[in-house]
Amino acid sequence: MQVKGHESWMKIALDAAQQAAEQGEVPVGAVLVVDNALIAVSVNSCVADNDPSAHAEINVLRKAGAEVGNYRLAGATLYVTLEPCVMCAGAIVNARVKQLVYGVADHRAGAAGSLVNVLQTPFLNHQCDIVAGVLEDRCRELVQDFFRVRR
């Protein structure tokens, strides 16, 4: 696992997640990279958009698709601070993302290995490589701090 090379992109995702927290959104940030070039950055916007599907992963896939002019993002690496849910994992598969890199596991809703592994299910038409635990402590602290204040 090549964690060190992923840290700079995850730091951008963490900065985005912090901005989401400041806006009252669950602090999840996502960055999409192709050929070591930044294509899109996004955050959760469910509250602001009144949209349950406006997770950071979905938002960044939408932005990236518009940027490259294609809904297929073959060769892309998606960085996200929190392990994707089933909805987001399905979108990642449909977009043909090559690799997912996430910070902290989501033991309540994670679909990249914690509860289920949608991204590497052999009966789907695409599988995605997974790298877990990049800047895990920082990603965990951000989410925990957000919910600690809320409770």
Side-chain angles (χ1 to χ4, degrees):
M1 173 169 54
Q2 183 191 4
V3 172
K4 194 114 179 131
H6 296 302
E7 289 180 355
S8 61
W9 295 116
M10 188 62 75
K11 286 177 183 176
I12 296 170
L14 273 162
D15 289 344
Q18 181 61 50
Q19 292 172 6
E22 291 166 5
Q23 297 168 6
E25 300 281 354
V26 174
V28 179
V31 172
L32 193 118
V33 175
V34 176
D35 295 329
N36 211 32
L38 179 65
I39 304 300
V41 178
S42 199
V43 298
N44 275 1
S45 62
C46 297
V47 176
D49 295 346
N50 295 309
D51 181 354
S53 70
H55 290 193
E57 300 93 316
I58 300 293
N59 290 338
V60 83
L61 292 173
R62 287 176 177 153
K63 285 182 176 183
E67 178 66 27
V68 302
N70 195 333
Y71 69 103
R72 299 281 194 227
L73 300 167
T77 299
L78 174 61
Y79 294 86
V80 64
T81 55
L82 181 67
E83 179 183 3
C85 69
V86 171
M87 174 185 69
C88 293
I92 292 165
V93 168
N94 284 326
R96 306 296 194 269
V97 169
K98 180 180 179 180
Q99 182 178 54
L100 167 73
V101 179
Y102 72 85
V104 65
D106 184 347
H107 296 290
R108 293 183 179 192
S114 289
L115 291 179
V116 295
N117 189 345
V118 172
L119 299 175
Q120 295 177 331
T121 301
F123 58 82
L124 294 177
N125 60 352
H126 176 74
Q127 286 78 43
C128 179
D129 296 332
I130 300 170
V131 176
V134 176
L135 299 180
E136 181 176 11
D137 292 340
R138 287 180 58 190
C139 293
R140 179 183 299 107
E141 287 171 16
L142 186 59
V143 172
Q144 287 177 341
D145 289 350
F146 177 81
F147 284 109
R148 189 175 299 116
V149 169
R150 295 275 218 208
R151 293 180 183 137

